[in-house]
Amino acid sequence: MLMKNMNTIHTFSIIVGSLALIFGIIMSIIKGSFQDYFQIVFIGTILAGLGVMGRKNKKNPKV
């Protein structure tokens, strides 16, 4: 049960992180200032990366 919930959390993290990353990049292109949206891009990258790393965990393989 716990492993199934963790896979859902990792998938959610990948999706939200990717959306934040894409939003930050698009807004920085539209506004012409990457510094204003750097935090959103950074947080999106971290969330997506942690989600991918969690799904690839060898100690607790996917059920």
Side-chain angles (χ1 to χ4, degrees), residues 48-63:
L50 288 174
V52 169
M53 284 176 29
R55 287 187 62 105
K56 301 291 181 185
N57 189 358
K58 299 294 182 190
K59 283 186 179 177
N60 299 318
K62 227 172 133 179
V63 176

Side-chain angles (χ1 to χ4, degrees), residues 3 7 12 21 33 42 53-54 58:
M3 198 58 204
N7 285 331
F12 182 72
L21 180 66
S33 175
F42 184 74
M53 284 176 29
K58 299 294 182 190

Side-chain angles (χ1 to χ4, degrees), residues 1 3 9 19 27-28 34 37 41 44 47 53-54 61-63:
M1 167 115 173
M3 198 58 204
I9 290 170
L19 290 176
M27 290 304 292
S28 66
F34 183 72
Y37 296 95
V41 172
L47 276 174
M53 284 176 29
K62 227 172 133 179
V63 176

